[in-house]
Amino acid sequence: MNIVTPFFQQCTRTPNHIAFFEAENQLSYSELKEIILRIATYFQNHNIQNQCIAIALDRGIHAACCIYGILAAGAIYLPLDIKNPAPRLKVIIEDAQPRFVIGFGPSPEWLIETDKWLDYSQIPTTHSHLTPLEKTPTALAAILYTSGSTGKPNGVALSHQALSNFSSWAQKTFSINQKERIASLTPFHFDLSIFDLFTSLSSGASVYFMPTHLTLMPSRLTDWLDEHQISCWYTVPSLLSFIGLKGSLEKKSLPHLNQIIFAGEVFPTVHLIKLTNLLPDVIFYNLYGPTETNVSCYWKIDRERLNPQENIPIGHSACQAKLTINSDTGELIVNSINNFSGYWIQGKLEPIDSDNYATGDKVSLNQYGEYCYHGRLDRMLKCSGYRVEPAEIEQYISQLVGIQNCAVIGINDIASGQRPAAVVVLERDIDLAEVIKPLRKQLPTYMQPCKFKVLDKMPALSNGKIDYQAIQALFNS
Amino acid sequence: MKQEIRNFIFNELIFVAEPTKFSDDDNLIDSGLDSMGIMRLIMFLEEQFSVTLPDSEIDPDNIKSINTLEKWILLHKA
């Protein structure tokens, strides 16, 4: 088994069909295969079997070629969020201990071991006619770093069978075929990209990489969908809300668009109703699942049942996942072939000891037997579709000079789900602005607290633990 | 008007360590104003200044700084 094998089979069936399209560039299946083989040959010559290779490239054709090349060669891909500030990238590299870090140009300042750097443009143009290396189903394919509750980013390790299971489920469920034009906007370190990368090319579909700046111009974004005759798009609700409100859809019909799939956060039903009304012929799906299980629930939006006062359900089991609810806590437990193999810690896999993954999400079943989501059992936040652990932000704040204590909570926000906010206790009478200045360079935008409050003393419960509810109340008042 | 826009942006949308040192020409998008922020900003501006900002004009050229925002609003207030 290898997650990239279906693509190679597709190359024989549809060699001249467009595989990737990005701005002025486009690659047919056979042209793409040539590039992938070049990259795979280079890596195979370096004995990288089952080793992790980090990709420091923006989302797009080059990064996607690297992913396929790495996998065909039998290695594991680790997509970095190169918009992350250098200190966070350094932490991830130190933890992942990749064999190579691939990017463009000279080695970046955040990479200490510069001998690991590989300039993409220096990869030789010659290749051998290799076929994707056969892997055992449990062999690792990807490591996706998410925010970690221990205060450090966490590498979620996914196997070839986990990716394949999701990819073929999605292909079947959404009837993806070679006529499909799939818009891709999700960065590759985000699990939504597994659809864009693998379901697409396994089915013979074409992937259209959407220019990132279009997310700032909703009306141009909907023009782009129309011009490129996009038929399917898997993205996050916050962006869909934006185009529903400001994408000039009243004046456009987008006749080619058949399906919109969304996941990553709760879609405010008011905004969803607005969008479904503007796109009456489009089928919408809500997908649910943490990175550790990928998609484990899905709901095909039933327009008749949309009620502005109610959140939509996360629906039924997806990808043959066995779902149970912990009767004491209401927590959703997922047993699925999609499930991750464990966390990647200090350069190796720390395997999980159970087939059951406790999601930390509170759920219930409704009258239709569908699962409904009721928030987190722990402190995790969802900010603009990103999962954010307050502990990771606290870790950075507490290391700043002048901070005695700090706590981070989430403020609800109609546009971006939640946003972090912080309370701090200062060591002495100093200027907060001065103290928190370094954070700008340490945390990605979506992790930056949007509000700070200075307190004399941290609110505490009688057992001495931080009273997060009291802190929450401070921001709500 | 500028002060109201500044207050909303720095209190609600982006985190700038020293808002007072952020000039009216400094780039808001480079400082972390993203699509979600822009959506909230436009909803705020339309309500606060009783103006309709055309969807087709929502782009970085109009949104990039406090000064361009003010100019854009005034254009539609007339």
Side-chain angles (χ1 to χ4, degrees):
Chain A
M1 167 183 262
N2 189 318
I3 177 72
V4 300
T5 305
F7 160 73
F8 280 82
Q9 290 162 347
Q10 208 39 255
C11 288
T12 355
R13 286 197 280 270
T14 54
N16 302 320
H17 196 59
I18 295 178
F20 286 153
F21 178 97
E22 185 182 32
E24 303 306 310
N25 298 326
Q26 69 175 51
L27 290 176
S28 68
Y29 271 74
S30 63
E31 288 165 335
L32 175 61
K33 185 176 152 192
E34 288 295 303
I35 298 174
I36 290 169
L37 287 178
R38 259 176 54 199
I39 300 170
T41 305
Y42 178 87
F43 284 130
Q44 271 201 348
N45 292 339
H46 283 82
N47 278 323
I48 43 65
Q49 273 269 27
N50 299 322
Q51 296 186 41
C52 144
I53 296 171
I55 303 167
L57 290 165
D58 257 327
R59 165 189 76 85
I61 287 186
H62 295 305
C65 289
C66 287
I67 291 175
Y68 269 81
I70 289 165
L71 290 167
I76 309 161
Y77 80 91
L78 158 57
L80 295 169
D81 182 356
I82 52 171
K83 294 207 176 62
N84 268 191
R88 194 162 190 265
L89 285 169
K90 234 181 236 172
V91 170
I92 292 174
I93 292 292
E94 270 165 27
D95 185 55
Q97 300 177 11
R99 171 77 187 281
F100 286 106
V101 181
I102 186 165
F104 271 116
S107 174
E109 40 118 10
W110 45 262
L111 185 64
I112 298 161
E113 297 166 90
T114 51
D115 56 321
K116 287 185 170 177
W117 182 252
L118 171 64
D119 182 355
Y120 182 89
S121 48
Q122 300 300 313
I123 297 175
T125 48
T126 52
H127 69 73
S128 50
H129 285 279
L130 52 81
T131 48
L133 215 70
E134 196 55 29
K135 307 293 291 181
T136 58
T138 55
L140 296 186
I143 301 170
L144 306 180
Y145 271 83
T146 66
S147 185
S149 55
T150 53
K152 278 187 167 183
N154 246 345
V156 177
L158 300 164
S159 66
H160 279 264
Q161 75 174 359
L163 299 189
S164 296
N165 189 60
F166 166 73
S167 175
S168 40
W169 172 83
Q171 187 180 343
K172 233 188 295 164
T173 307
F174 309 118
S175 314
I176 304 296
N177 58 46
Q178 52 171 297
K179 289 197 195 104
E180 215 76 55
R181 290 189 176 193
I182 296 170
S184 176
L185 179 67
T186 308
F188 297 154
H189 56 90
F190 226 138
D191 58 357
L192 270 70
S193 64
I194 296 169
F195 176 83
D196 300 352
L197 285 166
F198 303 111
T199 309
S200 55
L201 297 194
S202 303
S203 325
S206 306
V207 180
Y208 284 67
F209 291 107
M210 186 189 288
T212 308
H213 68 267
L214 290 183
T215 60
L216 307 177
M217 9 187 15
S219 183
R220 289 281 305 281
L221 191 157
T222 54
D223 284 341
W224 185 91
L225 293 173
D226 195 26
E227 280 159 25
H228 295 91
Q229 306 182 5
I230 298 303
S231 59
C232 175
W233 186 23
Y234 182 22
T235 190
V236 289
S238 38
L239 193 57
L240 292 172
S241 296
F242 195 21
I243 64 164
L245 288 169
K246 296 285 166 193
S248 314
L249 284 173
E250 299 81 3
K251 299 174 208 147
K252 298 172 196 173
S253 58
L254 308 186
H256 299 278
L257 190 62
N258 294 322
Q259 308 185 75
I260 288 182
I261 308 165
F262 56 85
E265 60 199 338
V266 176
F267 202 145
T269 313
V270 189
H271 291 173
L272 177 60
I273 293 172
K274 178 143 176 65
L275 189 65
T276 53
N277 288 341
L278 288 164
L279 297 169
D281 300 322
V282 174
I283 302 167
F284 288 82
Y285 290 93
N286 180 23
L287 269 47
Y288 158 88
T291 308
E292 283 86 345
T293 71
N294 199 343
V295 174
S296 54
C297 272
Y298 81 118
W299 193 60
K300 184 175 175 179
I301 275 59
D302 180 347
R303 290 161 182 261
E304 309 268 290
R305 278 180 48 200
L306 295 179
N307 172 350
Q309 315 300 334
E310 254 176 55
N311 278 342
I312 58 168
I314 54 173
H316 301 282
S317 155
C319 308
Q320 297 87 44
K322 292 182 199 79
L323 308 176
T324 43
I325 301 177
N326 180 317
S327 53
D328 295 329
T329 58
E331 184 175 17
L332 178 67
I333 314 290
V334 179
N335 180 335
S336 167
I337 301 170
N338 283 3
N339 279 18
F340 73 132
S341 308
Y343 292 107
W344 186 263
I345 297 167
Q346 290 297 305
K348 59 177 202 297
L349 178 72
E350 201 71 48
I352 33 159
D353 50 12
S354 165
D355 292 339
N356 292 319
Y357 178 73
T359 58
D361 288 334
K362 199 173 167 191
V363 299
S364 68
L365 284 167
N366 66 12
Q367 65 197 91
Y368 305 97
E370 298 154 347
Y371 288 86
C372 298
Y373 170 78
H374 304 292
R376 293 290 300 173
L377 288 159
D378 59 15
R379 300 204 287 134
M380 188 199 285
L381 309 177
K382 270 297 176 92
C383 310
S384 301
Y386 286 90
R387 141 175 167 185
V388 172
E389 289 287 357
E392 197 184 337
I393 305 172
E394 287 164 0
Q395 176 84 7
Y396 281 98
I397 299 178
S398 62
Q399 281 168 6
L400 299 172
V401 179
I403 297 284
Q404 193 196 82
N405 203 348
C406 73
V408 171
I409 53 106
I411 307 182
N412 288 335
D413 177 312
I414 184 88
S416 48
Q418 286 174 304
R419 286 163 354 121
V423 291
V424 293
V425 180
L426 300 173
E427 273 174 357
R428 50 188 188 282
D429 189 19
I430 39 173
D431 183 17
L432 175 71
E434 254 334 286
V435 175
I436 58 180
K437 220 168 155 184
L439 275 189
R440 254 319 264 139
K441 293 201 168 69
Q442 291 173 337
L443 290 171
T445 318
Y446 59 87
M447 288 177 91
Q448 306 270 355
C450 65
K451 286 194 174 130
F452 278 90
K453 276 189 201 292
V454 180
L455 301 180
D456 294 336
K457 175 166 161 279
M458 192 57 77
L461 298 165
S462 54
N463 62 9
K465 286 188 178 166
I466 292 179
D467 185 350
Y468 291 106
Q469 278 187 344
I471 295 168
Q472 197 82 50
L474 286 176
F475 285 100
N476 294 346
S477 62
Chain B
M1 178 182 278
K2 274 184 194 156
Q3 199 50 49
E4 282 171 274
I5 304 174
R6 290 182 70 98
N7 287 348
F8 182 76
I9 292 178
F10 298 131
N11 288 331
E12 300 289 331
L13 302 181
I14 58 174
F15 161 61
V16 177
E18 291 162 288
T20 46
K21 287 195 187 155
F22 195 93
S23 92
D24 289 341
D25 283 318
D26 282 348
N27 194 308
L28 293 163
I29 291 158
D30 292 346
S31 305
L33 184 64
D34 61 4
S35 54
M36 306 316 122
I38 292 175
M39 172 166 133
R40 297 185 66 219
L41 176 62
I42 288 161
M43 286 156 73
F44 166 80
L45 298 174
E46 292 192 328
E47 199 184 304
Q48 189 71 16
F49 304 112
S50 317
V51 61
T52 305
L53 300 166
D55 294 355
S56 58
E57 291 177 18
I58 302 174
D59 68 39
D61 283 346
N62 286 328
I63 290 166
K64 63 180 181 244
S65 70
I66 307 285
N67 277 335
T68 60
L69 280 168
E70 186 193 45
K71 225 170 106 189
W72 185 35
I73 298 162
L74 291 174
L75 189 73
H76 291 284
K77 253 193 110 54

